[in-house]
Amino acid sequence: MAFVRVCGLTELEDGTPKRVELDGIPVSVVRTKGEVFAINDICSHANVSLSEGEVEDCSIECWLHGSSFDLRTGKPNGLPATRPVPVYPVQIQGDDVLVSVTQES
């Protein structure tokens, strides 16, 4: 599993998603309640960017139709989305946030 630095921990505002692209894959990196998560940035329902949505606790909401996804599992928390989105492993090394898109979890 290859981890790549995506940003510094201090660059992440709590509750504000940051969109990055790794190997052509759009990823939303989210810091919330002291944890950092990486989730595929494309909503499985409407094909729009999740990083433009809002974060509440451990969920990110799609701004277009209100689908919400668990940041830990990628599973939708309710309709209209019915399919999960991929989540990716995150490592913190000092101030560096590293993400691997080579193996989904």
Side-chain angles (χ1 to χ4, degrees):
M1 193 175 332
F3 283 86
V4 177
R5 183 187 187 280
V6 294
C7 64
L9 191 57
T10 55
E11 295 174 51
L12 294 175
E13 274 187 58
D14 198 68
T16 303
K18 179 179 182 72
R19 186 181 195 277
V20 298
E21 194 164 307
L22 298 172
D23 294 333
I25 299 171
V27 177
S28 183
V29 181
V30 181
R31 182 179 188 175
T32 181
K33 301 197 182 245
E35 293 186 79
V36 178
F37 302 94
I39 189 167
N40 191 284
D41 192 47
I42 304 301
C43 177
S44 63
H45 169 256
N47 198 32
V48 297
S49 176
L50 291 175
S51 63
E52 296 177 26
E54 294 187 19
V55 174
E56 186 173 327
D57 295 323
C58 278
S59 294
I60 189 166
E61 183 179 61
C62 177
W63 62 270
L64 188 58
H65 295 117
S67 294
S68 178
F69 298 90
D70 188 303
L71 290 168
R72 298 166 292 216
T73 65
K75 292 181 181 175
N77 295 323
L79 298 174
T82 58
R83 292 175 297 137
V85 293
V87 294
Y88 307 104
V90 175
Q91 289 183 354
I92 308 297
Q93 293 181 355
D95 183 53
D96 294 331
V97 177
L98 298 104
V99 174
S100 174
V101 294
T102 57
Q103 180 180 341
E104 300 170 7
S105 60

